[in-house]
Amino acid sequence: MTLTNEQIINAHRAIGVIDSGVGGLTVVKEISKLMPHESVVYFGDTAHMPYGPRSYEEVRGFVFQMIEFLRHQEIKILIVACNSATAAGLSYYQKASDLPVLGVIEPGVRAALNGSSSGRIGVIGTTGTINSSEYEKALRRQNGSLHIVSKACPLFVLLVENNLVDTPEAKRVAHEYLDPLVREEIDTLILGCTHYPLMTELIQNVVGPSVQLINSADEIAAEVGEILNKGNMINPLNSEKPRFRFFVSGSPTPFEEVGSKLLNRSVKAYQVTLPSTS
Ligand code: DGL
């Protein structure tokens, strides 16, 4: 196999992934399934988690700090694997970066439109994501006659981050948030927060088997693959073991616990103090 210089340089560059915490790991999981030779550098801004209740301006500030950190980590593409951060201003991050920057809202919208047959679509996310109406706007741009029901589920992120998904309290909260959506007879539910796939089983139990859950992670991974392919940026060195580096701004322990369980491998995270957290 003959490689170009460009391919060799990009082979060593990683895919950068950011989120407020462990949620973006659901995207990392799909990326490594689809592209097992790609390395990943991950930043979870756990010191500022949850992003959902914060102002868009504040969230953008945190995102820029993570981008600045990752700029020194030799990445070839950046995935903003957080709906709240995407809703707070994906175009700002894209303008400020010379790398491809991908959000998570458009891929979720595509998957939902492909999946829904009745056109009755539910969207759940953080308060920031739901208040931004970004999902609703993106869905309506494609099809003006959809019946869309949106619901903020602010406690879900905290249940996931604190490893409390398998508790009676989580079940009660899930019913409170999701029963009204079921009454609207949705056939598709967009998990509009990257933390939510970590509670798929609970959500599916509550909404019932007739509602299809949309986890945009596989759609995102496919899009990353396409971009890397087109840009000649795929790691062509099959013999290489990918490297996974995880950084957090808060305590590494809860991140490592949830991350190891999700990725089915030992996750070691390093704490980094971003300028605004000092
Ligand atoms: N995973 C983030 C999202 O997709 C979590 C939000 C939060 O920190 O509140 O929105």
Side-chain angles (χ1 to χ4, degrees), residues 72 75 77 118 138 140 159 171 213:
H72 303 286
I75 59 168
I77 186 167
S118 70
R140 289 209 190 285
L159 292 172
K171 194 173 171 190
L213 302 187

Side-chain angles (χ1 to χ4, degrees), residues 13-237:
R13 294 212 175 116
I15 296 174
V17 182
I18 58 174
D19 180 42
S20 63
V22 294
L25 293 176
T26 58
V27 176
V28 171
K29 189 176 174 180
E30 295 309 318
I31 287 176
S32 43
K33 246 195 244 162
L34 194 72
M35 293 167 280
H37 302 295
E38 297 298 337
S39 295
V40 173
V41 186
Y42 187 96
F43 202 105
D45 189 12
T46 49
H48 298 120
M49 187 280 301
Y51 279 0
R54 295 180 184 272
S55 75
Y56 301 133
E57 202 184 351
E58 194 177 19
V59 170
R60 287 199 295 270
F62 296 146
V63 170
F64 278 123
Q65 297 226 328
M66 289 192 277
I67 292 178
E68 180 56 23
F69 176 82
L70 289 183
R71 226 166 48 82
H72 303 286
Q73 307 294 321
E74 297 207 316
I75 59 168
K76 53 188 171 189
I77 186 167
L78 174 70
I79 306 168
V80 181
C82 174
N83 291 264
S84 313
T86 302
L90 179 63
S91 60
Y92 287 84
Y93 323 134
Q94 287 170 330
K95 270 181 218 139
S97 176
D98 46 10
L99 295 172
V101 179
L102 216 69
V104 280
I105 292 182
E106 290 290 340
V109 165
R110 271 201 307 277
L113 290 169
N114 286 338
S116 174
S117 44
S118 70
R120 300 181 73 85
I121 299 177
V123 184
I124 53 173
T126 65
T127 306
T129 300
I130 297 303
N131 285 351
S132 76
S133 305
E134 287 296 324
Y135 270 103
E136 207 158 324
K137 285 187 263 181
L139 285 164
R140 289 209 190 285
R141 272 197 296 274
Q142 302 297 325
N143 180 346
S145 60
L146 295 170
H147 179 74
I148 304 167
V149 199
S150 303
K151 177 90 185 154
C153 306
L155 291 175
F156 279 179
V157 168
L158 298 175
L159 292 172
V160 169
E161 289 281 340
N162 294 300
N163 220 346
L164 294 171
V165 172
D166 297 320
T167 60
E169 179 61 10
K171 194 173 171 190
R172 192 191 60 71
V173 168
H175 271 288
E176 198 174 299
Y177 288 148
L178 303 173
D179 287 351
L181 299 182
V182 176
R183 284 198 290 274
E184 292 282 340
E185 298 183 344
I186 54 168
D187 75 345
T188 302
L189 178 62
I190 300 179
L191 305 181
C193 172
T194 51
H195 280 71
Y196 298 174
L198 282 149
M199 46 193 306
T200 297
E201 203 180 320
L202 173 63
I203 294 175
Q204 190 76 70
N205 277 340
V206 171
V207 297
S210 61
V211 177
Q212 186 195 356
L213 302 187
I214 302 294
N215 165 9
S216 52
D218 17 359
E219 194 80 12
I220 295 157
E223 196 174 339
V224 172
E226 267 167 42
I227 295 174
L228 294 185
N229 238 327
K230 265 194 211 143
N232 225 0
M233 293 190 281
I234 289 272
N235 181 357
L237 308 180

